[in-house]
Amino acid sequence: MLEVSKISFSYKPTQTVFTDVSFRLEAGQIMTLLGPNGVGKSTLFDCLCRLKTPDTGEIILAGKPIASYTMRQLASVITLLSQTVQSVFDFTVLEYVLMGCAPRISPFGSPAAQDYEEVDRVLAQLGLSHFADRIFTELSGGEKQQVSIAKAIVQRPKIMLFDEPTSFLDVGNQQKIIKLIKEMAATGYSVIMTTHNPDHAIQLGGICALMHHGGQMTIGQPESLSGEMLSEIYGTPLKLVHVPEVGRMACVAK
C-alpha cells in the first residue's frame, strides 16, 4: 500500500531533517511513529502527502510513484489529519464531514444524495449522529478529532496519517482515538500515527518506528522497544514494565 525507499529531506544543505528513511506499510497495518519534538515526524508526513518533496528517494502509493498522481487522485489514496483541527467558519458537523466528498465532486458540482447518505452512515458508524447539527467550532478537542476522522473516512482514502491525534486530549478521549484507529485498521485502512506516548505504540501493535535526532529511523515491533532505547530518544530515564492488571507492558518514568 505504501513503500518509502531511502528518502531524505533538508530545509537547507546544513539543516538535514531526516535521511535514508525506508519502510513498507501493508493494507490494514498500523505504524506508530515515535520521536522527540523537532525530529521531523510532521515533515515526513508532509512528504508522504506531497506537501513537501524529498531531496532523494522514492515514495510509492498503491503501486504508483507519488509524483504520478494529480492532487485529486492523491486525495483518494492518502489523507492527513493534523494535530490541530481548525475551521474559521461556523459549519455544522454534517457540513464539515461532507467536505470529505470533495475529491469526488467536480469543481463546479454539488454533493449528491448519495454523498449525504454516506455522511449519515459514517456518523452513525462512529456514534456521532447526535453531533450532525452542532457547530463544529463549538465542539471539544476530542469531539473535533472524532468528527475529523469521520470526514477522513468519507474521503475514502486507503492510507490515513494521524499527526499526534491525542494531543491536548484527556485520557478518556485518547483511548477513544486509539480504539477507533484499531477498528479502522481492522477494516482495511493503513494507518500511520505519531505520538509522544510509547504506550500508544504498545496498545496499537503493528509496527513501531523511532525517529532519532540526526535523521535516522529505527523500525521494529512494539515488543522490541526497550527502556534504554526510549530513554536515549527522549533524553529522560524511562523503563518498560509489565502491568499484570492490564496484561501488557507499559512505559513509566524512573
Side-chain angles (χ1 to χ4, degrees):
M1 188 57 65
L2 172 64
E3 184 173 359
V4 177
S5 179
K6 298 182 180 299
I7 68 169
S8 303
F9 184 88
S10 301
Y11 284 106
K12 51 187 177 181
T14 58
Q15 189 182 352
T16 298
V17 180
F18 54 79
T19 182
D20 202 28
V21 168
S22 299
F23 61 87
R24 291 172 61 93
L25 193 69
E26 305 295 341
Q29 192 171 34
I30 299 172
M31 185 171 91
T32 307
L33 186 56
L34 299 172
N37 289 326
V39 80
K41 301 185 298 296
S42 296
T43 301
L44 175 60
F45 272 9
D46 285 347
C47 290
L48 298 180
C49 291
R50 217 172 73 189
L51 299 175
K52 291 183 171 68
T53 302
D55 302 324
T56 62
E58 187 174 38
I59 300 172
I60 304 295
L61 289 175
K64 295 170 53 179
I66 191 171
S68 68
Y69 287 87
T70 67
M71 293 308 293
R72 182 179 290 270
Q73 290 169 338
L74 192 64
S76 68
V77 178
I78 191 166
T79 189
L80 168 63
L81 281 80
S82 301
Q83 54 187 287
T84 54
V85 182
Q86 300 290 342
S87 176
V88 296
F89 298 106
D90 289 336
F91 295 112
T92 66
V93 166
L94 187 149
E95 291 168 336
Y96 183 80
V97 175
L98 190 62
M99 293 179 201
C101 299
R104 303 187 298 278
I105 300 173
S106 65
F108 299 102
S110 300
Q114 57 264 35
D115 295 320
Y116 285 93
E117 291 169 3
E118 183 165 9
V119 170
D120 289 341
R121 178 186 61 77
V122 172
L123 288 176
Q125 174 190 345
L126 301 184
L128 302 174
S129 296
H130 59 293
F131 285 164
D133 296 324
R134 289 185 59 182
I135 302 300
F136 179 80
T137 54
E138 296 175 0
L139 300 179
S140 70
E143 291 167 345
K144 286 180 180 177
Q145 286 287 8
Q146 293 177 71
V147 169
S148 294
I149 291 173
K151 177 174 174 279
I153 293 174
V154 167
Q155 188 175 319
R156 299 182 197 165
K158 296 177 174 65
I159 305 165
M160 291 195 179
L161 309 179
F162 292 88
D163 194 5
E164 297 185 32
T166 59
S167 293
F168 315 116
L169 302 187
D170 60 52
V171 173
N173 277 312
Q174 288 185 33
Q175 290 306 306
K176 285 181 181 178
I177 297 298
I178 296 298
K179 180 182 177 183
L180 184 54
I181 288 174
K182 292 180 73 172
E183 291 173 348
M184 290 169 61
T187 60
Y189 289 99
S190 300
V191 178
I192 306 178
M193 169 180 153
T194 67
T195 179
H196 287 299
N197 188 341
D199 274 346
H200 293 163
I202 296 169
Q203 287 181 275
L204 287 169
I207 56 177
C208 181
L210 301 180
M211 291 194 73
H212 305 255
H213 281 300
Q216 293 75 39
M217 177 184 282
T218 303
I219 298 177
Q221 303 297 316
E223 295 80 12
S224 67
L225 292 172
S226 68
E228 293 78 11
M229 187 185 301
L230 293 171
S231 297
E232 180 183 351
I233 288 287
Y234 289 107
T236 192
L238 299 170
K239 185 176 181 179
L240 289 173
V241 297
H242 186 266
V243 182
E245 289 80 2
V246 295
R248 65 173 178 85
M249 301 296 289
C251 182
V252 297
K254 290 185 179 180

